């Protein structure tokens, strides 16, 4: 007996307060069928970008009437389970169609079906020939000298944002260094400064809670006892 066709339950951006069932594509890797991926689906006379919110093997719609997903846009969930649950709650609480809420939290390009990839950050670094050049030899070209000194400090490359902070016409100075063969374009790594990385951490540091006096403790207990209710 052939295995049952998988049903993708898709939230489509529309004013309708419901999700829609679609057949999974015939050619697909089972591991890619997960809640949180985007799919392109036929919807009326056009196609829409929706988000899979559940996988099922049965539907209230007759199988012959179900349309097949046109395209799987993601190999893994773009929206994690925790975010999906939060959006479901928000849509229910504010009485708004789930598909529209999901669409609203995504950037425009993702809503349009573009690939969810991060373009590499590009910059400049010293070439092999540039490493042999002593910045002190460029005393008569101060801007070039300053750029060479900066590039020596960052052997893996500097970004445009770092160059913008340089005084004077750094673009012209950089072009001269590139034309001389002393500087090459490069793809910057993913390393973040320690200060920036600290702000992006997902796990807050463990700290001891402050000591509370009796009035503060009573206030905290009163608030905690009402969590999850409207009061």
């Amino acid at each position: 007996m052939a295995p049952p066709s998988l049903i993708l339950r898709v939230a489509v951006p529309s004013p309708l307060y419901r999700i829609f069932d679609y057949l999974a594509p015939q050619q697909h890797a089972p591991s890619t069928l997960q809640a949180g991926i985007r799919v392109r689906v036929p919807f009326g006379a056009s196609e829409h970008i929706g988000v899979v919110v559940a996988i099922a093997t049965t539907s209230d719609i007759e199988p012959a009437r179900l349309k097949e997903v046109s395209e799987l846009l993601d190999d893994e969930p773009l929206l994690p389970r925790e975010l999906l649950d939060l959006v479901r709650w928000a849509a229910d609480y504010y009485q708004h169609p789930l598909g529209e809420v999901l669409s609203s939290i995504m950037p425009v390009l993702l809503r349009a079906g573009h690939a969810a990839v991060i373009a590499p950050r590009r910059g400049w670094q010293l070439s092999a020939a540039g490493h042999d050049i002593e910045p002190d030899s460029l005393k008569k070209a101060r801007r070039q000298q300053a750029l060479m000194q900066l590039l020596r400090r960052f052997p893996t490359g500097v970004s445009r944002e770092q160059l913008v902070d340089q005084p004077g016409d750094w673009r012209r100075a950089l072009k001269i260094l590139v034309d001389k063969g002393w500087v090459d374009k490069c793809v910057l790594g993913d390393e973040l400064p320690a200060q920036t990385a600290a702000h992006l951490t997902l796990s807050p540091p463990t700290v001891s809670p402050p000591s509370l006096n009796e009035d503060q403790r009573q206030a905290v207990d009163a608030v905690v006892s009402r969590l999850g209710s409207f009061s």
Side-chain angles (χ1 to χ4, degrees):
M1 180 181 296
S5 298
L6 289 180
I7 308 296
L8 304 187
R9 293 189 169 153
V10 181
V12 177
S14 79
L16 301 177
Y17 289 80
R18 52 165 295 193
I19 58 178
F20 300 86
D21 288 356
Y22 289 89
L23 293 173
Q26 294 183 5
Q27 301 296 329
H28 66 272
S31 60
T32 63
L33 299 182
Q34 302 180 59
I37 65 171
R38 294 171 305 145
V39 290
R40 191 186 306 277
V41 296
F43 193 82
S46 61
E47 290 190 324
H48 280 19
I49 305 301
V51 176
V52 176
V53 295
I55 312 291
T57 56
T58 60
S59 173
D60 294 334
I61 308 298
E62 295 179 10
R65 295 178 54 198
L66 290 177
K67 296 181 179 180
E68 185 175 304
V69 165
S70 302
E71 183 182 4
L72 303 177
L73 297 176
D74 302 309
D75 294 328
E76 56 186 27
L78 183 67
L79 304 177
R81 173 63 64 181
E82 295 80 4
L83 184 55
L84 279 178
D85 290 342
L86 176 61
V87 174
R88 279 180 178 274
W89 177 88
D92 182 64
Y93 181 82
Y94 291 104
Q95 294 294 294
H96 204 77
L98 177 60
E100 291 192 344
V101 179
L102 282 167
S103 180
S104 70
I105 69 170
M106 292 189 289
V108 174
L109 291 180
L110 294 184
R111 282 184 238 162
H114 290 270
V117 296
I118 299 176
R121 296 175 63 239
R122 300 191 179 277
W124 293 265
Q125 65 182 175
L126 290 177
S127 66
H131 281 288
D132 295 333
I133 303 300
E134 289 295 334
D136 289 343
S137 66
L138 299 171
K139 290 182 179 179
K140 293 183 179 180
R142 293 294 187 182
R143 293 190 182 93
Q144 295 177 43
Q145 182 186 49
L147 288 181
M148 292 292 284
Q149 290 171 337
L150 178 67
L151 290 163
R152 279 182 176 272
R153 287 171 48 205
F154 297 94
T156 59
V158 298
S159 65
R160 183 182 183 280
E161 290 74 19
Q162 290 172 287
L163 293 175
V164 168
D165 293 334
Q166 297 301 304
D169 188 0
W170 61 268
R171 292 179 180 83
R172 183 172 182 276
L174 179 64
K175 183 179 185 305
I176 292 173
L177 294 176
V178 171
D179 290 343
K180 289 179 177 179
W182 297 348
V183 174
D184 292 329
K185 289 184 178 180
C186 68
V187 175
L188 300 175
D190 296 328
E191 296 82 3
L192 292 172
Q195 184 177 5
T196 303
H199 289 292
L200 298 179
T201 180
L202 298 178
S203 302
T206 303
V207 296
S208 300
S211 300
L212 305 178
N213 60 35
E214 184 58 29
D215 290 338
Q216 292 170 333
R217 170 57 60 191
Q218 290 179 9
V220 170
D221 290 343
V223 171
V224 170
S225 67
R226 289 168 174 79
L227 290 178
S229 61
F230 298 91
S231 61

